[in-house]
Amino acid sequence: MSHVLHIAGYYLAAALVATLPAAMLYWFLIHPLAAFWRRLGKTATFTIVGLVCVAVAAYLFSLRERLLAVHWGYHWALIALGLALYVLGVYGERRIRRQLEFRILVGTPELDAESPGALLTEGVYERSRNPRYVNLVVALFGWALVLNYPAVYVTLALSVPALYCIVLLEERELRARFGEPYEAYCRRVPRFLPRRGWIV
């Protein structure tokens, strides 16, 4: 593989190792403290939480030489499989984005008591309550195979239980916002994988 592609892979791996934990931290800061952030206001919340997450990502990026000291090399079979998984994840994400506004993606409904948003139960959400997280893990696993750095695999492995905890926090928030309609939705639709078929 050419030197340019190797460098590109190295910095992509560094970006994933730095930003994925910061993204997990964002939601761990938002969900448990939603009531506090509502009182503080959206602008202050996004400023404070954003700065904390950027600082964490910057720190992890500064450790990239140590974190990415070991590389298992590029293998065309892994690259082909990884790209196929990435395309599958991106395709699913594009379908989901048709239903998600930017304000939902950044957690605005959690911070706005006057405009809590609508409960999503249609489209891909008829088959999975969290299709976005399923597609995210598929796409990230694809990139992990392409890049083939142990640090990326470890970061992804740690992110999966973190995502599960985030889902539990989100569910608590949704129960508080929507009550029985959300409970009925949970009884009807699986948390992650649909009962039959795929979710993309």
Side-chain angles (χ1 to χ4, degrees):
M1 185 165 289
S2 73
H3 179 69
V4 172
L5 289 178
H6 183 81
I7 294 298
Y10 173 83
Y11 280 101
L12 180 56
L16 284 174
V17 169
T19 59
L20 197 52
M24 301 294 117
L25 177 62
Y26 177 88
W27 292 110
F28 277 114
L29 292 175
I30 291 291
H31 285 301
L33 303 172
F36 168 76
W37 297 123
R38 285 189 201 110
R39 291 193 298 271
L40 194 62
K42 286 178 284 189
T43 301
T45 297
F46 289 135
T47 300
I48 294 169
V49 175
L51 287 174
V52 170
C53 293
V54 167
V56 168
Y59 176 70
L60 290 172
F61 189 77
S62 73
L63 300 177
R64 63 189 179 278
E65 290 186 8
R66 277 184 277 177
L67 294 173
L68 302 176
V70 178
H71 184 220
W72 289 336
Y74 295 106
H75 303 282
W76 290 113
L78 290 179
I79 291 173
L81 177 59
L83 289 177
L85 290 174
Y86 176 72
V87 169
L88 181 66
V90 169
Y91 172 71
E93 179 69 9
R94 285 177 63 87
R95 289 192 64 196
I96 294 166
R97 287 292 183 95
R98 298 172 190 166
Q99 297 177 253
L100 293 181
E101 301 173 358
F102 179 75
R103 63 187 299 274
I104 296 175
L105 295 175
V106 298
T108 301
E110 287 88 336
L111 306 176
D112 194 342
E114 297 180 358
S115 180
L119 180 60
L120 296 175
T121 61
E122 299 177 352
V124 290
Y125 287 90
E126 290 181 306
R127 305 181 67 193
S128 168
R129 302 200 312 261
N130 297 281
R132 190 158 185 262
Y133 292 138
V134 175
N135 284 309
L136 176 64
V137 170
V138 169
L140 289 175
F141 184 60
W143 272 120
L145 291 174
V146 170
L147 299 170
N148 210 27
Y149 279 91
V152 176
Y153 289 118
V154 170
T155 302
L156 180 57
L158 294 175
S159 296
V160 170
L163 276 173
Y164 183 79
C165 292
I166 290 169
V167 166
L168 296 182
L169 292 171
E170 284 185 354
E171 288 181 350
R172 185 177 68 177
E173 186 74 23
L174 290 167
R175 284 188 177 92
R177 273 194 280 157
F178 298 109
E180 177 54 30
Y182 182 70
E183 295 287 359
Y185 174 60
C186 290
R187 291 192 293 269
R188 188 172 70 253
V189 178
R191 179 178 278 142
F192 293 112
L193 296 178
R195 293 185 176 90
R196 289 191 298 176
W198 187 239
I199 59 174
V200 297

